[in-house]
């Protein structure tokens, strides 16, 4: 006999009775479906399946059973997620009970079995699809980390040294020269099939890879390698493209080398030929990309499913180079791939033989590494962290603030902000009137943007002007969320007379695409402006930039799903940089407020950052690490 479930309304998810939403309709429907096909009543399966569905929606790859015995299961019984009986069998369950209860179900299998749910030996419960994704990625990473071409470089040691010295010269102005991790990273790219370069903004990740690409081409002989540049978003792809082209102009004199350098970057979805109309991607195992080297920027934004689609599209011989910042927010979708690859431990802990090789080729004294007694990741020689910031000195406020946030020192970070110097500022935000005042003042800085709208010759320049400053919000909805803040922005601009009319489209409205449209070639995260179009007698058009920087025009009412973007969420800001950043925190603590979110917001700023909020909320956020459940880190041995 199968149990019956009360399916909640979509807008009324189950709650634990303390205001925390636990389950949505889809979670309950999924649990009900699995118990139905299992053919038996099983409260362990019902609750675990519902929680697994929610866990994946929250960005996790799996559900860790170790968390279940301490969980209050009463809310699930009273909401009919399991039958109401005289005694709740889960109320007194321990870990062994949960394991036995799930193992006996016909829909729960072990790794390697083809079952809807997979329960591994570490008691992590997966949807089969995500277990398969994680297994394939772990196998790829382990195999790639073992593939290293040291001999070819050893045969051309003199040439490699000369080119490395030319591309990464020592600064004569440094009083205390430090180890040149950029040079070391470029050297690793030369020999590794897989190289992961992590570092915060200003550490020169794209600069390194741009020069490493030149090095790979120069050492390739007569047949230049086929190189693809990509990133999760169009804006990040454009920044990568600009960095490579600038390096080519600065360092390349040979026409053959210059012609071999890729001139255009794209999004990962476009690279692999992803289409919502197709069940898979154009490029895959059976039809791999025609490339030798693939460079991916902003890798922290890549979710597990997309990463697996990418590696499936790679030919067996191709090098993969991932750039990112392990301390930033993870992807919106399930998985924290870059974080799992890098781990929480110390990086640049190479094996002794690889450290000696890097030292010999670069001339850098890589000493004291490779001697740690802790367990090592199989990727230890493939992951490199850039440690010097070329944008800010170690004594700058933004640099000190970022460092304090990274180590979870909330009170120290707050003290730095409250110094209120020219680059870091703290502003208390205790009421709605405070919020309105903050927004009104911020909108005063958009006057120069609206002044340029009347001159169609300056439309290309608008993109740069608009990116000088941006408001970031931690939340999407609610009083302090991005939707409400954007509404306040428009109200403030109307009061200044910069916006006229109440139509959904007005001259100067900035919009961000929220849903991919492959037919129009407009993608999630693309930013454009509603402006008078001289080609159609001054009627309004939506202007976006192409990957080559040219203006593209669209009828506003034909745009895919989009939203106003004076303010945007911190998640949406990834891959972007602004001169000045204003971060608005809510007046209450929430699980979404983490040190990764605060760090990501702060590191979007090139000049100044202002954080508005309550002191206790800020300190709590910095002390909270975003942790996502997966088995990838264990599979790689990452600390």
């Amino acid at each position: 006999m199968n149990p019956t479930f009360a399916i909640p309304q979509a807008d009324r998810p189950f709650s634990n009775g303390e205001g925390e939403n636990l389950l949505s309709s889809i979670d309950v429907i999924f649990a009900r479906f699995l118990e139905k096909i299992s053919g038996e009543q099983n409260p362990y399966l019902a609750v675990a399946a519902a929680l697994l569905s929610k866990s994946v929606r929250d960005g996790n790859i799996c559900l860790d059973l170790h968390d279940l015995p301490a969980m209050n299961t009463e809310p699930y019984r009273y909401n009919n997620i399991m039958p109401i009986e005289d005694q709740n069998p889960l109320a007194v369950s321990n870990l062994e009970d949960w394991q036995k209860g799930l193992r006996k179900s016909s829909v729960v299998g072990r790794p390697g079995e083809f079952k809807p749910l997979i329960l591994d030996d570490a008691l992590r419960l997966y949807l089969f699809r995500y277990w398969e994704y994680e297994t394939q990625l772990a196998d790829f990473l382990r195999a790639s980390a073992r593939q290293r071409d040291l001999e070819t470089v050893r045969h051309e040691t003199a040439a490699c040294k000369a080119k490395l010295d030319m591309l990464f010269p020592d600064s004569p102005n440094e009083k205390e020269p430090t180890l040149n991790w950029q040079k070391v990273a470029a050297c690793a790219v030369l020999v590794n099939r897989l190289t992961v370069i992590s570092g915060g903004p200003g550490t020169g990740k794209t600069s390194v890879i741009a020069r490493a690409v030149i090095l790979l081409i120069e050492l390739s002989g007569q047949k230049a390698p086929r190189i693809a540049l990509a990133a999760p978003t169009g804006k990040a792809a454009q920044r990568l493209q600009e960095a490579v082209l600038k390096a080519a102009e600065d360092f390349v004199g040979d026409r053959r080398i210059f012609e071999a350098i890729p001139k255009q970057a794209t999004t990962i979805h476009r690279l692999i030929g992803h289409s919502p109309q197709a069940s898979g991607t154009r490029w895959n195992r059976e039809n791999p990309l025609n490339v030798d080297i693939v460079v991916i920027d902003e890798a922290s934004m890549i979710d597990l499913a997309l990463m697996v689609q990418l590696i499936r599209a790679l030919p067996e011989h191709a090098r993969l180079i991932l750039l990112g910042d392990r301390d930033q927010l993870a992807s919106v979708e399930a998985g924290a791939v870059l974080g799992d690859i890098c781990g929480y431990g110390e990086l640049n802990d190479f094996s002794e033989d690889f450290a000696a090789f890097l030292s010999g080729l670069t001339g850098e004294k890589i000493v004291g590494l490779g001697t740690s007694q802790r367990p090592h990741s199989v990727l230890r020689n493939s992951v490199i962290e850039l440690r010097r910031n070329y944008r800010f000195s170690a004594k700058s406020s933004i640099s000190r603030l970022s460092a304090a946030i990274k180590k979870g020192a909330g009170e120290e970070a707050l003290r730095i902000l409250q110094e209120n110097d020219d680059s870091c500022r703290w502003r208390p935000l205790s009421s709605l009137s405070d919020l309105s005042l903050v927004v009104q003042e911020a909108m005063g800085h958009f006057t120069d943007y609206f002044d340029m709208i009347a001159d169609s010759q300056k439309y290309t320049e608008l993109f740069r002007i608009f990116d000088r400053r941006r408001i970031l919000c931690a939340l999407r909805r609610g009083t302090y969320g991005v939707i409400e803040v954007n509404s306040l922005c428009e109200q403030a601009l109307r009061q200044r007379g910069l916006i006229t009319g109440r139509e959904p489209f007005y001259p100067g409205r900035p919009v961000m695409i929220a849903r991919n449209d492959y037919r129009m070639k407009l993608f999630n995260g693309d930013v454009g402006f509603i402006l008078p179009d001289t080609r159609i007698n001054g009627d309004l058009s939506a202007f976006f930039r192409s990957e080559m920087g040219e203006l593209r025009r669209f009828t506003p009412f034909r745009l895919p799903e989009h939203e106003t973007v004076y303010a945007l969420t911190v998640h949406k800001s990834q891959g972007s940089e602004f001169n000045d950043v204003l971060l608005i925190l809510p007046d209450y603590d929430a699980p979404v407020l983490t040190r990764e979110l605060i760090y990501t917001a702060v590191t979007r700023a090139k000049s100044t950052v202002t954080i508005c909020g309550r002191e206790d909320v800020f300190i709590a956020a910095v002390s909270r690490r975003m942790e996502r459940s997966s088995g990838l880190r264990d599979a790689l041995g990452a600390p």
Side-chain angles (χ1 to χ4, degrees):
M1 178 180 177
N2 294 325
T4 57
F5 292 80
I7 306 299
Q9 298 297 318
D11 60 344
R12 297 185 62 189
F14 286 130
S15 169
N16 65 357
E18 298 177 357
E20 180 184 354
N21 291 333
L22 295 176
L23 301 175
S24 71
S25 301
I26 192 65
D27 303 327
V28 181
I29 293 171
F30 177 69
R32 170 177 160 180
F33 171 73
L34 279 187
E35 196 166 33
K36 179 179 180 181
I37 65 175
S38 74
E40 64 178 352
Q41 180 177 318
N42 186 334
Y44 293 98
L45 174 64
V47 173
L51 288 174
L52 174 58
S53 174
K54 177 185 183 298
S55 185
V56 171
R57 288 192 297 104
D58 288 343
N60 298 291
I61 300 303
C62 56
L63 176 69
D64 192 336
L65 293 193
H66 292 87
D67 298 332
L68 297 185
M71 184 188 69
N72 177 17
T73 58
E74 286 298 302
Y76 303 106
R77 184 162 71 102
Y78 291 134
N79 283 294
N80 288 334
I81 184 63
M82 59 184 180
I84 297 178
E85 303 172 352
D86 292 339
Q87 181 178 353
N88 178 359
L90 305 186
V92 293
S93 296
N94 55 33
L95 185 60
E96 184 177 356
D97 294 331
W98 278 98
Q99 182 179 0
K100 289 180 178 178
L102 289 170
R103 290 281 188 210
K104 71 178 185 179
S105 174
S106 62
V107 299
V108 178
R110 295 179 181 274
E113 294 183 326
F114 187 64
K115 297 288 185 71
L117 303 182
I118 299 296
L119 181 60
D120 70 8
D121 293 338
L123 301 187
R124 289 181 288 248
L125 185 66
Y126 294 82
L127 298 173
F128 175 83
R129 178 163 59 106
Y130 283 99
W131 172 83
E132 185 178 41
Y133 283 160
E134 186 177 274
T135 300
Q136 289 180 4
L137 180 57
D139 289 346
F140 169 85
L141 293 171
R142 286 194 297 261
S144 299
R146 289 192 291 266
Q147 297 181 36
R148 188 164 288 112
D149 184 12
L150 302 181
E151 293 307 316
T152 300
V153 174
R154 283 194 177 108
H155 291 157
E156 301 185 40
T157 299
C160 287
K161 284 184 175 181
K163 295 182 185 302
L164 281 167
D165 290 341
M166 184 272 291
L167 291 168
F168 299 94
D170 294 328
S171 174
N173 298 323
E174 290 186 6
K175 296 181 179 179
E176 298 181 5
T178 56
L179 198 153
N180 191 337
W181 287 112
Q182 288 191 337
K183 194 175 185 180
V184 173
C187 181
V189 169
L190 284 181
V191 297
N192 288 344
R193 183 192 172 197
L194 170 70
T195 307
V196 182
I197 302 175
S198 177
T203 55
K205 296 185 296 295
T206 53
S207 176
V208 168
I209 207 58
R211 285 179 270 182
V213 163
I214 295 171
L215 199 57
L216 286 166
I217 296 173
E218 290 187 340
L219 297 174
S220 64
Q222 293 301 312
K223 186 178 180 181
R226 296 158 296 185
I227 305 172
L229 308 175
T233 67
K235 180 165 286 190
Q238 184 178 4
R239 287 177 51 210
L240 176 61
Q241 174 183 315
E242 292 170 351
V244 172
L245 291 177
K246 183 179 186 305
E249 294 171 356
D250 291 344
F251 294 103
V252 177
D254 188 320
R255 183 172 181 81
R256 182 189 74 86
I257 303 298
F258 188 83
E259 290 178 350
I261 291 173
K263 306 301 189 298
Q264 187 171 346
T266 186
T267 64
I268 299 174
H269 284 88
R270 279 178 258 186
L271 175 68
I272 62 178
H274 179 274
S275 172
Q277 287 76 36
S279 58
T281 59
R282 179 182 179 186
W283 308 108
N284 47 53
R285 286 172 176 165
E286 292 71 34
N287 186 34
L289 289 161
N290 185 27
V291 294
D292 301 304
I293 301 167
V294 174
V295 179
I296 304 293
D297 197 9
E298 296 293 346
S300 63
M301 300 172 65
I302 305 176
D303 60 87
L304 179 63
L306 181 58
M307 182 64 79
V308 171
Q309 288 179 323
L310 172 64
I311 64 172
R312 286 174 178 173
L314 296 179
E316 290 187 5
H317 70 279
R319 298 175 193 255
L320 177 62
I321 305 166
L322 301 176
L323 312 175
D325 185 348
R326 66 168 174 169
D327 296 303
Q328 278 192 28
L329 281 168
S331 60
V332 176
E333 303 298 330
V337 175
L338 184 67
D340 283 340
I341 289 174
C342 295
Y344 291 140
E346 188 79 4
L347 298 182
N348 301 344
D349 187 18
F350 311 118
S351 63
E352 292 184 19
D353 59 337
F354 194 59
F357 167 78
L358 293 174
S359 295
L361 192 60
T362 63
E364 299 292 326
K365 295 181 180 179
I366 307 174
V367 295
L369 302 176
T371 59
S372 173
Q373 299 301 309
R374 62 175 171 74
H376 295 295
S377 167
V378 297
L379 306 184
R380 63 186 302 196
N381 294 330
S382 298
V383 182
I384 299 173
E385 183 178 40
L386 303 180
R387 295 177 172 174
R388 177 180 176 182
N389 196 304
Y390 293 84
R391 181 182 303 166
F392 304 110
S393 71
K395 296 181 179 180
S396 75
S397 295
I398 290 183
S399 180
R400 291 190 296 123
L401 176 62
S402 300
I405 293 170
K406 283 171 62 174
K407 65 182 181 182
E411 293 183 357
E412 178 185 344
L414 182 62
R415 285 196 298 270
I416 294 170
L417 284 166
Q418 290 177 334
E419 292 173 3
N420 285 319
D421 65 9
D422 292 338
S423 58
C424 289
R425 305 184 187 99
W426 171 260
R427 181 156 182 177
L429 197 62
S430 57
S431 66
L432 293 181
S433 59
D434 288 344
L435 176 62
S436 297
L437 183 59
V438 165
V439 171
Q440 289 174 10
E441 292 178 1
M443 288 299 98
H445 296 295
F446 281 82
T447 304
D448 54 352
Y449 162 72
F450 277 91
D451 286 344
M452 297 179 68
I453 290 174
D455 188 350
S456 62
Q457 301 299 315
K458 297 182 178 179
Y459 282 180
T460 302
E461 186 71 5
L462 277 178
F463 290 86
R464 184 185 65 82
I465 296 297
F466 190 73
D467 278 350
R468 285 180 179 174
R469 54 191 62 88
R470 197 64 56 87
I471 300 173
L472 304 183
C473 298
L475 306 178
R476 175 164 178 77
R477 300 188 182 279
T479 304
Y480 296 85
V482 72
I483 296 176
E484 180 63 25
V485 170
N486 272 310
S487 177
L488 290 175
C489 291
E490 290 183 322
Q491 291 178 25
L493 291 170
R494 287 192 178 96
Q495 291 174 3
R496 293 175 179 270
L498 297 175
I499 294 178
T500 57
R502 296 270 176 184
E503 297 81 6
F505 299 108
Y506 55 81
R509 181 190 173 196
V511 294
M512 173 181 281
I513 300 300
R515 179 176 51 82
N516 293 338
D517 189 313
Y518 292 85
R519 182 178 54 84
M520 298 179 70
K521 296 184 178 180
L522 289 173
F523 300 92
N524 187 5
D526 287 353
V527 173
F529 306 102
I530 307 301
L531 301 168
D533 191 343
T534 57
R535 296 186 180 185
I536 51 175
N537 299 319
D539 290 342
L540 297 179
S541 288
F543 288 76
F544 289 80
R545 275 191 305 190
S546 70
E547 291 179 339
M548 301 304 294
E550 300 171 347
L551 289 179
R552 304 170 63 210
R553 295 170 170 82
F554 300 91
T555 301
F557 290 100
R558 293 185 59 225
L559 290 177
E561 183 181 340
H562 59 277
E563 55 196 38
T564 304
V565 71
Y566 297 104
L568 71 163
T569 62
V570 177
H571 268 99
K572 288 283 190 179
S573 74
Q574 286 182 273
S576 300
E577 290 182 343
F578 313 105
N579 288 356
D580 308 312
V581 165
L582 170 65
L583 172 63
I584 295 177
L585 299 177
D587 64 346
Y588 58 90
D589 193 17
V592 72
L593 301 178
T594 63
R595 76 179 63 167
E596 288 83 4
L597 182 138
I598 305 296
Y599 172 82
T600 300
V602 167
T603 54
R604 298 311 90 205
K606 293 190 288 186
S607 299
T608 67
V609 59
T610 302
I611 299 182
C612 303
R614 278 176 30 187
E615 293 181 4
D616 58 331
V617 171
F618 175 79
I619 292 173
V622 173
S623 66
R624 182 185 297 116
R625 183 188 289 278
M626 182 186 72
E627 295 185 5
R628 290 188 170 179
S629 297
S630 84
L632 182 59
R633 189 169 299 185
D634 286 350
L636 301 175

